[in-house]
Amino acid sequence: MFVRKKKNNSGVVSVQVIDKSSGKYKVLKTIGSSCSDTEIETLYQQGLDYISHYEGQQSFDFTVQDFKETVKQSIRNISIEGVHLLLGRIYNEIGFDTVCNDLLKQLVLVRLSHPASKLKTTQYLHRYFSINIKEDRIYRYLDKVYSDHKETLQQISYQHTKKILGGIIRVVFYDVTTIYFQIDDEDDLRKRGFSKEGKHQNPQIVLGLLVGVEGYPSAYEIHEGNKFEGHTMLPIIDVFKDKYDLDKLVVIADSGLLSSSNVKELQKKGYEFILGARIKNESKAIKEEILALNLKDKSSAIIPRTDGTNLIVGYTDRRAKKDRHNRERGLMKLEQRIKSGKLTKSSINNRGYNKYLQLEGDITIRINHGKFEEDAAWDGLKGYMTNTTLSKEEIINNYGQLWKIEKAFRVAKHDLKIRPIYHRLQKRIQALITINFVAYKVYKELERQLKLKTDKMSPEKAIDIAKSIYAIEISDPKTGNTFKETLLLNDEQKHLAKLFDF
């Protein structure tokens, strides 16, 4: 039995334990793979330790009088091992390990398991993973990660997504979010604008994210914080289409990105699209046609538009119930504000439920209940503008997947703690977004593999369990040899290890 270093075509070296007892070479266990000399040597030593432990060469003398003290003195290190066994393996399977930088991998894994500031990241790496990296080294690396690795990492993510989707990417989903900064001054990138987080007083950036079916991340770009979100879509889609030489692409986006210029440009460039439609902003004739449809639950209809596109209108009882609830809640809040005397002439506008207000005489503001009742006719209706030849059902179902990109933003902002950002330099901001992009890709692949294994465990739960799996490094008091043992102490840990074969 021996440890073999096998160089693959990609340049990555696999470290394997080989058994030749039967006369033939048999891979007993693959310890791991890397293109870093330091990590390869670490894997090699783990292979030697595995052989020693496998053959039963490590033992303690239970006849020693103070066995407890002997064991304590034999412990050389205790660290979290589950994160590397689970997430590190998925990181490698996607192909990110071909970017030969140990620090990138460590930053991605700790972003998934212990998301925090750079200072706390160094503390977590030391405390839980026995990895000593100084904060200034992280900052120096961030200065180059965007320029050196962004395009390569997106290429790797795209190729992996293409592979798991059967070799074809035809549909992409686009959406934007805003990320604020804890600063007062603006610069060329960080500017005050409409904040989706309600942080209008803070400078921000606009993040555009392009994902494929099932929410697999494909590409991203950041823009100035005051840029209209509708102007962010076409540039990233054009680059994505040209970069990967895609012939036809169906673009799906919500109504916030719907503008006449966007629609014209999409048509001009030969894109097919499904966009959320603002059906209340349609012409009088089309609105009358919509209200005359009298749709039942989960039914839909097609209304041709003069620009060559089709308007798909769908209705569900569930949406109607939600719309009615929101209208009634909005009305109740307006009534409370009228009673409190907090409403003024400036409150009369078309924003939200303020459209129900009207001025009576010169000084009295009251609610126009007629408008409130008229709006009830629109409860449950949802519109989609498209130029595709897909069926009504396919259009509605495809658009319905937009929630997965919204989940991507939630995971990035809340679970990976991408916000708020404290970095000042643009290249470091870009680098942080790049690291979060890779981390989210690993998260999505973990989610996909859990589904394939027909396990109901969530990615968050799997990561929490992985964080509880420790490894102990022990020195044999007799021989002086050391070995590392992964501790699987409960049923959850054992179940996760069995699922992912570690």
Side-chain angles (χ1 to χ4, degrees):
M1 192 179 299
F2 64 94
V3 181
R4 178 175 71 180
K5 299 177 184 177
K6 181 183 178 184
K7 190 170 184 178
N8 303 317
N9 293 333
S10 63
V12 175
V13 175
S14 296
V15 179
Q16 302 169 325
V17 176
I18 305 299
D19 181 19
K20 198 184 175 185
S21 59
S22 63
K24 295 182 180 180
Y25 289 93
K26 177 183 178 183
V27 178
L28 191 63
K29 183 176 180 63
T30 298
I31 303 299
S33 59
S34 178
C35 55
S36 163
D37 292 340
T38 302
E39 189 167 342
I40 290 169
E41 185 57 34
T42 300
L43 294 171
Y44 183 80
Q45 291 300 322
Q46 290 178 8
L48 293 177
D49 292 338
Y50 175 85
I51 292 173
S52 297
H53 184 57
Y54 184 86
E55 293 178 337
Q57 293 176 359
Q58 307 299 330
S59 62
F60 284 107
D61 187 352
F62 287 88
T63 64
V64 175
Q65 187 172 4
D66 194 349
F67 177 70
K68 179 180 177 181
E69 194 63 31
T70 300
V71 172
K72 284 173 62 179
Q73 292 177 2
S74 299
I75 297 175
R76 293 290 172 262
N77 186 46
I78 298 176
S79 60
I80 293 177
E81 186 73 4
V83 169
H84 287 275
L85 291 172
L86 177 66
L87 302 177
R89 174 178 174 173
I90 291 175
Y91 178 97
N92 292 348
E93 288 174 350
I94 292 170
F96 290 132
D97 59 322
T98 57
V99 176
C100 297
N101 190 293
D102 290 341
L103 183 52
L104 174 63
K105 185 175 184 178
Q106 302 302 342
L107 291 176
V108 169
L109 297 192
V110 80
R111 174 61 52 178
L112 283 158
S113 62
H114 299 84
S117 66
K118 297 299 164 289
L119 176 59
K120 286 189 176 180
T121 293
T122 61
Q123 295 171 351
Y124 287 147
L125 286 170
H126 172 70
R127 184 180 303 153
Y128 299 119
F129 301 98
S130 299
I131 298 172
N132 295 310
I133 299 175
K134 292 184 178 180
E135 188 181 2
D136 60 350
R137 185 188 166 200
I138 292 179
Y139 282 116
R140 287 198 304 273
Y141 179 64
L142 290 177
D143 287 342
K144 59 180 287 187
V145 66
Y146 172 74
S147 58
D148 288 2
H149 300 321
K150 179 195 173 185
E151 290 305 319
T152 302
L153 292 168
Q154 289 198 70
Q155 284 272 1
I156 292 169
S157 177
Y158 169 78
Q159 293 300 336
H160 181 266
T161 297
K162 183 178 177 182
K163 179 181 176 182
I164 62 179
L165 292 179
I168 299 174
I169 291 183
R170 173 146 162 68
V171 178
V172 292
F173 301 80
Y174 182 75
D175 204 354
V176 299
T177 191
T178 54
I179 302 172
Y180 68 91
F181 292 77
Q182 297 283 36
I183 59 170
D184 295 323
D185 297 330
E186 298 179 307
D187 55 32
D188 291 341
L189 179 66
R190 297 173 293 179
K191 295 186 178 295
R192 292 181 179 87
F194 175 75
S195 172
K196 297 196 174 193
E197 302 165 288
K199 301 288 184 178
H200 304 293
Q201 74 280 9
N202 294 88
Q204 64 180 19
I205 58 173
V206 174
L207 172 63
L209 182 62
L210 197 68
V211 305
V213 176
E214 296 299 328
Y216 301 126
S218 298
Y220 74 89
E221 197 55 77
I222 66 173
H223 305 272
E224 300 86 350
N226 60 354
K227 189 165 188 176
F228 169 55
E229 63 182 44
H231 295 160
T232 68
M233 179 172 69
L234 280 165
I236 189 172
I237 294 172
D238 287 342
V239 170
F240 181 76
K241 181 176 180 289
D242 292 342
K243 183 191 299 183
Y244 301 114
D245 194 26
L246 300 174
D247 182 25
K248 287 200 173 183
L249 210 56
V250 179
V251 180
I252 302 176
D254 71 13
S255 57
L257 297 161
L258 176 66
S259 68
S260 58
S261 61
N262 270 348
V263 172
K264 288 177 182 177
E265 281 297 306
L266 286 168
Q267 289 176 309
K268 179 181 177 182
K269 293 183 177 183
Y271 290 113
E272 294 186 350
F273 56 82
I274 301 171
L275 303 175
R278 300 187 183 98
I279 52 179
K280 293 182 185 178
N281 292 347
E282 291 289 342
S283 66
K284 181 180 178 182
I286 288 183
K287 284 193 290 185
E288 289 176 351
E289 190 172 350
I290 291 172
L291 294 179
L293 290 172
N294 195 26
L295 297 173
K296 304 300 181 183
D297 186 33
K298 297 179 182 178
S299 62
S300 58
I302 301 176
I303 299 176
R305 300 174 81 251
T306 56
D307 61 0
T309 63
N310 285 325
L311 181 66
I312 310 299
V313 180
Y315 171 87
T316 66
D317 288 340
R318 182 179 178 181
R319 175 178 286 275
K321 183 177 179 181
K322 180 182 177 182
D323 290 344
R324 182 169 59 252
H325 170 76
N326 289 340
R327 277 190 309 105
E328 291 173 348
R329 186 177 61 176
L331 181 67
M332 181 180 67
K333 287 183 178 180
L334 286 177
E335 290 173 337
Q336 291 173 347
R337 291 176 67 191
I338 286 178
K339 288 180 181 178
S340 68
K342 292 181 179 179
L343 291 178
T344 64
K345 288 183 181 181
S346 63
S347 302
I348 301 176
N349 51 58
N350 285 323
R351 290 196 294 270
Y353 297 106
N354 283 9
K355 63 187 176 183
Y356 298 145
L357 297 174
Q358 69 178 26
L359 195 64
E360 192 173 77
D362 292 328
I363 56 173
T364 304
I365 294 175
R366 72 175 184 89
I367 293 174
N368 185 333
H369 286 85
K371 279 190 176 182
F372 175 80
E373 295 300 332
E374 287 174 9
D375 257 5
W378 297 92
D379 288 351
L381 296 172
K382 172 66 180 175
Y384 316 87
M385 183 191 296
T386 185
N387 65 344
T388 71
T389 56
L390 299 174
S391 69
K392 296 181 301 179
E393 293 72 24
E394 287 174 319
I395 289 167
I396 294 173
N397 289 338
N398 272 300
Y399 187 89
Q401 287 205 42
L402 263 179
W403 68 269
K404 292 181 180 177
I405 198 170
E406 295 171 359
K407 180 184 177 183
F409 286 134
R410 287 198 303 274
V411 170
K413 289 183 175 181
H414 300 285
D415 297 339
L416 303 181
K417 292 183 172 56
I418 196 174
R419 65 173 185 183
I421 299 178
Y422 298 92
H423 291 298
R424 177 178 59 84
L425 299 177
Q426 182 171 338
K427 55 187 174 183
R428 290 183 181 172
I429 296 169
Q430 294 271 21
L432 180 62
I433 302 296
T434 298
I435 288 169
N436 275 273
F437 176 84
V438 175
Y440 182 67
K441 173 66 178 182
V442 174
Y443 173 95
K444 285 298 298 181
E445 178 59 9
L446 171 61
E447 181 180 66
R448 186 186 75 88
Q449 290 194 19
L450 284 167
K451 287 182 180 178
L452 282 178
K453 298 173 189 295
T454 63
D455 196 279
K456 295 182 179 179
M457 187 187 306
S458 69
E460 293 84 1
K461 179 69 173 178
I463 292 171
D464 280 343
I465 296 172
K467 286 161 58 176
S468 73
I469 297 176
Y470 282 77
I472 184 169
E473 188 177 325
I474 300 177
S475 175
D476 189 328
K478 281 186 175 182
T479 66
N481 294 332
T482 62
F483 69 93
K484 190 176 182 180
E485 180 73 14
T486 301
L487 305 177
L488 301 174
L489 304 177
N490 58 48
D491 290 340
E492 279 188 336
Q493 294 171 346
K494 293 174 183 176
H495 176 64
L496 187 68
K498 184 178 180 182
L499 271 180
F500 291 91
D501 190 29
F502 61 77

